[in-house]
C-alpha cells in the first residue's frame, strides 16, 4: 500500500501539522506529488508520550485524501481528543506518532472470523458504536472474547449487547507504522 519512503513522509506530515499548530514551524510543505497522498483511506492517528496514550482520532472509512486526513487527524489527536489536555510545546519533542491506515470494513458473521493481531473491531448498535484498532488487543494480550467485550465498553455498552440482534460487528485490518519503526 505505502512504500517505506511514503510511510516516513506520512509521519513527517503528521508531525509538521502539529508543530505548525503549536507555532514551532512556519507554513507546512504542500501535499507531496506521490499519488498515494491524493487517495482516500480510513485512517487513525494515535499519539503517545513515554508509552502512554496521549490522543487518538480517526476516520473509520475513507473520507478525505490521505494528505488532508493526516493533517486534520494529527491536529485533532493532539488538540481535540477530549480525554486529554492539548499537547503543549514542552512535551511535543517526546510525542510518538502512530498511523493506522484501515482496510475496508468486513461484516463479521461468526466470531471465529476475528483474528487477534490482524483485525480491529468496529461495533454498531442503536445505543452506541465503538472501535478498537488491531494493535490494542495485541498490546493488552486479549483473547477474542475480551476484545469483543472491550469494544462494547468502548461504545459505552454493556457486554450483554453481544447477544443483541441489533448489534452489527465489523472487522478490519490496518497498515500500522510509527516514529519507532
Amino acid at each position: 500500500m505505502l512504500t517505506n519512503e511514503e510511510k516516513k513522509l506520512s509521519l513527517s506530515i503528521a508531525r509538521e501539522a502539529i508543530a505548525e499548530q503549536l507555532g514551532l514551524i512556519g507554513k507546512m510543505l504542500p501535499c507531496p506529488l506521490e499519488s498515494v497522498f491524493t487517495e482516500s483511506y480510513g485512517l487513525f492517528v494515535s499519539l503517545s508520550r513515554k508509552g502512554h496514550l496521549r490522543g487518538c482520532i480517526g476516520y473509520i472509512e475513507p473520507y478525505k485524501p490521505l494528505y488532508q486526513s493526516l493533517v486534520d487527524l494529527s491536529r485533532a489527536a493532539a488538540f481535540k481528543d477530549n480525554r486529554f489536555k492539548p499537547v503543549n510545546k514542552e512535551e511535543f519533542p517526546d510525542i510518538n506518532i502512530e498511523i493506522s491506515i484501515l482496510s475496508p470494513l468486513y461484516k463479521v458473521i461468526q466470531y471465529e472470523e476475528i483474528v487477534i493481531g490482524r483485525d480491529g473491531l468496529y461495533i454498531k448498535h442503536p445505543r452506541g458504536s465503538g472501535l478498537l484498532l488491531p494493535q490494542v488487543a495485541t498490546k493488552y494480550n486479549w483473547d477474542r472474547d475480551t476484545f469483543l467485550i472491550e469494544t462494547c465498553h468502548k461504545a459505552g455498552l454493556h457486554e450483554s449487547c453481544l447477544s443483541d440482534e441489533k448489534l452489527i460487528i465489523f472487522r478490519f485490518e490496518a497498515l500500522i507504522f510509527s516514529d519507532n519503526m
Side-chain angles (χ1 to χ4, degrees):
M1 181 186 295
L2 269 71
T3 66
N4 283 339
E5 202 53 44
E6 290 165 341
K7 291 175 187 176
K8 289 177 186 171
L9 194 50
S10 295
L11 289 162
S12 293
I13 291 165
R15 188 162 296 283
E16 279 186 19
I18 298 168
E20 182 187 60
Q21 192 79 25
L22 286 170
L24 297 172
I25 63 169
K27 192 137 175 77
M28 288 182 60
L29 294 173
C31 181
L33 297 176
E34 290 87 345
S35 64
V36 71
F37 291 101
T38 62
E39 296 172 18
S40 297
Y41 302 94
L43 177 83
F44 274 74
V45 175
S46 303
L47 307 178
S48 60
R49 181 171 183 250
K50 298 182 180 177
H52 298 283
L53 184 65
R54 193 61 187 78
C56 182
I57 303 282
Y59 301 136
I60 296 169
E61 297 187 75
Y63 178 61
K64 294 180 179 180
L66 178 59
Y67 175 81
Q68 194 59 54
S69 293
L70 287 166
V71 171
D72 294 349
L73 295 174
S74 298
R75 289 178 178 166
F79 307 112
K80 296 189 179 188
D81 186 333
N82 52 17
R83 298 173 293 174
F84 305 96
K85 291 181 187 176
V87 169
N88 61 50
K89 291 178 183 179
E90 291 72 33
E91 67 182 324
F92 179 66
D94 297 328
I95 294 292
N96 180 62
I97 299 172
E98 180 178 80
I99 297 171
S100 301
I101 299 179
L102 279 51
S103 74
L105 299 175
Y106 304 100
K107 188 174 179 180
V108 173
I109 306 302
Q110 297 180 345
Y111 292 162
E112 292 75 26
E113 297 171 39
I114 300 166
V115 176
I116 298 298
R118 180 193 71 186
D119 296 330
L121 295 178
Y122 172 57
I123 62 169
K124 285 177 64 171
H125 188 275
R127 290 182 285 135
S129 62
L131 178 142
L132 288 174
L133 295 167
Q135 58 269 41
V136 175
T138 305
K139 177 179 179 180
Y140 294 107
N141 201 27
W142 290 340
D143 61 16
R144 183 184 302 121
D145 291 339
T146 304
F147 196 21
L148 284 159
I149 290 167
E150 291 300 327
T151 308
C152 289
H153 294 164
K154 178 78 184 277
L157 302 169
H158 187 270
E159 61 195 60
S160 63
C161 76
L162 290 169
S163 60
D164 189 330
E165 62 187 35
K166 295 177 188 165
L167 182 73
I168 303 171
I169 302 172
F170 297 94
R171 67 175 181 81
F172 59 89
E173 297 175 32
L175 172 64
I176 304 160
F177 52 97
S178 71
D179 289 332
N180 295 334
M181 53 183 245

